[in-house]
Amino acid sequence: MAWSAAAAATTRVAAAPAAAELRLPLGRRACLSVAGRFRAVSASLSTTAAAASVKEAVQTEKAPAALGPYSQAIKANNMVFVSGVLGLNPETGKFVSESVEEQTEQVMKNMGEILKASGASYSSVVKTTIMLADLQDFKKVNEIYAKYFPAPAPARSTYQVAALPLNARIEIECIAAL
């Protein structure tokens, strides 16, 4: 017999000699048969100091520093959240070139260094978001992007945006599982 802990917060159990009715969210019901005595069970979801998530900033000199009041990445709850990465050379702080292909290669290298510093890798990335200055660059970016992610590729969203920091051609952020 299995039931969802998420349903427990809104569950009402009514005892009967040989059966119990479980009221689930949205008026759904499930009947549970029990042999012998019925014992009501309740569960609740709570947050305690011991269960609170610990958030840790990830920083590496092998990738460009954040351009504002944010971290290169944050580790929390066995996940890594990498901020948007640009195609900047970490040593000079300047774009490697104006070409979307070269910026994409550098974005992926920078992202790889941040992932490595966090204990993750390209293979542990579960979601990416790509922001492009021009959606016409989609095919060029895909060719480079595909070289970095083994199958199964992460879930992904791609958008054309009005502008990117420092007039970048591309920015990519990602989420990885540890």
Side-chain angles (χ1 to χ4, degrees):
M1 166 174 75
W3 61 283
S4 168
T10 58
T11 300
R12 186 189 79 193
V13 178
E21 181 181 286
L22 195 59
R23 185 172 300 254
L24 301 173
L26 302 174
R28 295 186 181 131
R29 296 175 184 207
C31 289
L32 308 173
S33 295
V34 292
R37 294 183 158 193
F38 175 78
R39 186 173 4 159
V41 178
S42 66
S44 65
L45 302 173
S46 65
T47 305
T48 64
S53 112
V54 176
K55 159 172 119 164
E56 175 187 340
V58 175
Q59 200 278 325
T60 178
E61 298 296 322
K62 295 180 179 180
L67 299 175
Y70 59 91
S71 300
Q72 288 174 320
I74 291 289
K75 287 172 60 170
N77 296 326
N78 294 318
M79 302 292 289
V80 178
F81 301 86
V82 178
S83 296
V85 179
L86 301 177
L88 299 171
N89 177 321
E91 295 170 8
T92 66
K94 301 200 182 290
F95 287 109
V96 292
S97 113
E98 292 298 315
S99 139
V100 72
E101 295 92 343
E102 290 183 42
Q103 284 190 27
T104 302
E105 281 286 352
Q106 189 64 45
V107 165
M108 298 308 296
K109 289 176 186 174
N110 292 341
M111 181 183 295
E113 291 296 338
I114 296 167
L115 288 167
K116 185 194 293 183
S118 71
S121 66
Y122 294 114
S123 64
S124 59
V125 173
V126 296
K127 172 74 168 87
T128 62
T129 303
I130 299 176
M131 290 144 289
L132 296 170
D134 184 351
L135 203 53
Q136 294 299 313
D137 292 332
F138 186 80
K139 185 178 179 187
K140 296 174 195 172
V141 169
N142 275 341
E143 290 171 5
I144 296 162
Y145 177 95
K147 297 187 305 186
Y148 288 86
F149 292 108
R156 185 179 101 180
S157 301
T158 303
Y159 304 100
Q160 177 174 313
V161 296
L164 289 167
L166 304 175
N167 293 315
R169 301 280 309 269
I170 183 169
E171 179 176 6
I172 303 177
E173 64 183 23
C174 72
I175 301 170
L178 291 174

